[in-house]
Amino acid sequence: MFKGRHLLTLLDYTPEEIRALLDLAHQVKREKKAGIFPERMKNKNIVLLFEKTSTRTRCAFEVAANDEGAKVTFLSNSQMGKKESLEDTAKVLGRFYDGIEFRGFEQNTVDMLAKYAGVPVWNGLTDLYHPTQVLADWMTIEEHVRKPLSAVKFCYVGDARNNMGNSLMIGCAKMGMDFVGIAPKSLFPDEHLVSKLRAICEKTGGSITLSDNIDDVDGADVIYTDVWVSMGEEAQFAERIKLLSPYRVTMDMIGKTRNPDVVFLHCLPSFHDLETAVGKDIYNTYGITEMEVTDEVFRSKHSVVFDEAENRMHTIKAVMIATTTDTLD
Ligand code: CP
Ligand code: NVA
């Protein structure tokens, strides 16, 4: 059963349910490419709450809703948390809307919205999790790696305790994949999450390995990285650059996989050149021209980051259809 469900973290979904969401995402992508628009969300309204900035997530929700015949309100200056409690805000929005997306800092905010709204609430990124991104990432792997997900060796390199590290590790455990988190020990993920996921792996056939050695990308099907400093952590640049520079994804690291077909993924946005204000500031302060990935890898044949970005829209569409209509029930 999907109708009426929230998506707060993929921990709440079974492997079969994640499989069904991915299948629906592939279907809606095929439909859109064929010019078929069934408008399964006609007459529905959704609201998008953003405390943090976004390009892909906001646009994915808006375009997906438009394609499905729903109408969208974008809200970034509400009373929520300032003059009105989360509970009251959730109850009000639940009277107006058929679904609520939230992007912001605390996981507790999206959990509270879900508790009180009475309509599906979707996590569009918190400090802890970014579940809709992982669905797009798995869809992209299915398009570019000639193996079932359960046979994939997935290497996440960089800040392994951020929202992407957590969410990718959850997604791997759920789908029976081999997750290798490669990071300095001080950026290893939370031990409680790791042990919970290892217990899930016993059922799904997945595995979780943590290492501080980049040689462990050997045999990878996928190398994934994310920014070294997530939104809200901007004070950490100096320390992270020092800690993570040895973990930059370079062509040398790609070579260490010994897999000529290894796929490079990144949730984006990425600091791979000096074409951003932040990238320029970092260059002026620290003298580095690239952070988590070199421009060479980013633009190489291994990189499918723009397919991945597009798939945000198809997967978010699948999540909204599944949770606001009876399409999958
Ligand atoms: N990957 C991702 O969530 O992108 P935005 O921050 O642009 O939404
Ligand atoms: N870890 C990053 C992901 C951005 C999509 C952040 O939270 O800023």
Side-chain angles (χ1 to χ4, degrees):
M1 284 292 283
F2 284 91
K3 193 173 178 191
R5 296 263 299 272
H6 308 296
L7 176 54
L8 306 176
T9 158
L10 284 178
L11 283 169
D12 299 337
Y13 280 71
T14 66
E16 294 73 26
E17 287 168 343
I18 295 170
R19 180 70 265 151
L21 289 174
L22 290 171
D23 288 344
L24 182 57
H26 288 293
Q27 180 195 321
V28 298
K29 182 169 183 176
R30 283 192 302 272
E31 285 174 359
K32 179 156 176 151
K33 303 280 174 198
I36 299 164
F37 294 94
E39 298 206 334
R40 282 159 285 223
M41 293 175 67
K42 199 165 168 52
N43 296 326
K44 296 195 186 295
N45 283 280
I46 66 162
V47 63
L48 310 179
L49 299 172
F50 280 79
E51 286 178 352
K52 290 178 174 172
T53 53
S54 170
T55 298
R56 277 145 293 275
T57 308
R58 175 186 176 174
C59 296
F61 271 97
E62 293 218 15
V63 172
N66 291 340
D67 283 352
E68 289 299 321
K71 303 223 169 32
V72 180
T73 304
F74 177 74
L75 196 55
S76 63
N77 58 347
S78 75
Q79 316 278 22
M80 185 172 80
K82 299 184 282 279
K83 286 169 61 185
E84 193 160 33
S85 68
L86 292 174
E87 177 177 345
D88 294 358
T89 307
K91 286 175 176 169
V92 171
L93 294 176
R95 298 289 181 110
F96 283 43
Y97 292 98
D98 301 286
I100 300 170
E101 182 272 359
F102 172 80
R103 163 173 287 200
F105 294 90
E106 293 180 23
Q107 182 68 19
N108 179 57
T109 308
V110 77
D111 292 345
M112 289 284 281
L113 289 171
K115 184 168 176 194
Y116 292 110
V119 297
V121 172
W122 308 298
N123 180 356
L125 180 147
T126 61
D127 289 348
L128 211 51
Y129 303 124
H130 195 8
T132 63
Q133 178 70 50
V134 177
L135 293 173
D137 300 337
W138 283 194
M139 181 179 190
T140 311
I141 292 173
E142 292 191 317
E143 290 173 340
H144 290 280
V145 178
R146 289 170 193 280
K147 285 181 178 178
L149 287 177
S150 59
V152 165
K153 177 171 177 176
F154 181 95
C155 291
Y156 177 83
V157 187
D159 179 6
R161 38 99 275 156
N162 73 7
N163 42 18
M164 284 315 309
N166 290 342
S167 301
L168 291 163
M169 196 165 59
I170 294 167
C172 283
K174 288 279 178 177
M175 301 315 278
M177 300 157 70
D178 293 317
F179 177 91
V180 183
I182 302 179
K185 287 200 170 72
S186 58
L187 296 176
F188 275 10
D190 177 66
E191 284 172 14
H192 295 104
L193 180 62
V194 173
S195 36
K196 188 191 273 195
L197 295 178
R198 286 199 170 125
I200 293 175
C201 285
E202 280 174 25
K203 297 195 199 104
T204 63
S207 65
I208 309 279
T209 307
L210 299 173
S211 161
D212 60 1
N213 183 353
I214 61 167
D215 291 344
D216 288 332
V217 298
D218 188 22
D221 296 296
V222 178
I223 291 192
Y224 197 116
T225 193
D226 183 15
V227 288
W228 290 346
V229 173
S230 288
M231 288 180 273
E233 299 182 333
E234 286 74 11
Q236 308 287 319
F237 267 115
E239 191 198 332
R240 292 286 169 74
I241 288 170
K242 206 158 88 191
L243 274 173
L244 286 168
S245 287
Y247 296 86
R248 176 178 294 118
V249 179
T250 61
M251 284 311 279
D252 185 51
M253 186 186 287
I254 295 285
K256 281 179 187 289
T257 67
R258 295 186 304 125
N259 175 4
D261 299 321
V262 63
V263 163
F264 172 73
L265 295 177
H266 188 313
C267 53
L268 306 183
S270 160
F271 294 114
H272 60 93
D273 59 20
L274 293 181
E275 299 301 316
T276 63
V278 173
K280 285 190 181 83
D281 279 354
I282 295 294
Y283 174 70
N284 289 332
T285 313
Y286 304 100
I288 55 171
T289 56
E290 303 149 319
M291 280 196 271
E292 70 276 6
V293 58
T294 62
D295 199 46
E296 189 182 13
V297 171
F298 189 88
R299 294 177 189 277
S300 73
K301 69 176 172 92
H302 301 284
S303 173
V304 292
V305 295
F306 295 108
D307 287 351
E308 181 185 8
E310 176 187 332
N311 286 339
R312 295 298 308 287
M313 199 272 292
H314 304 299
T315 42
I316 281 172
K317 188 184 281 183
V319 168
M320 288 197 296
I321 293 170
T323 53
T324 64
T325 76
D326 52 15
T327 303
L328 288 188
D329 288 348

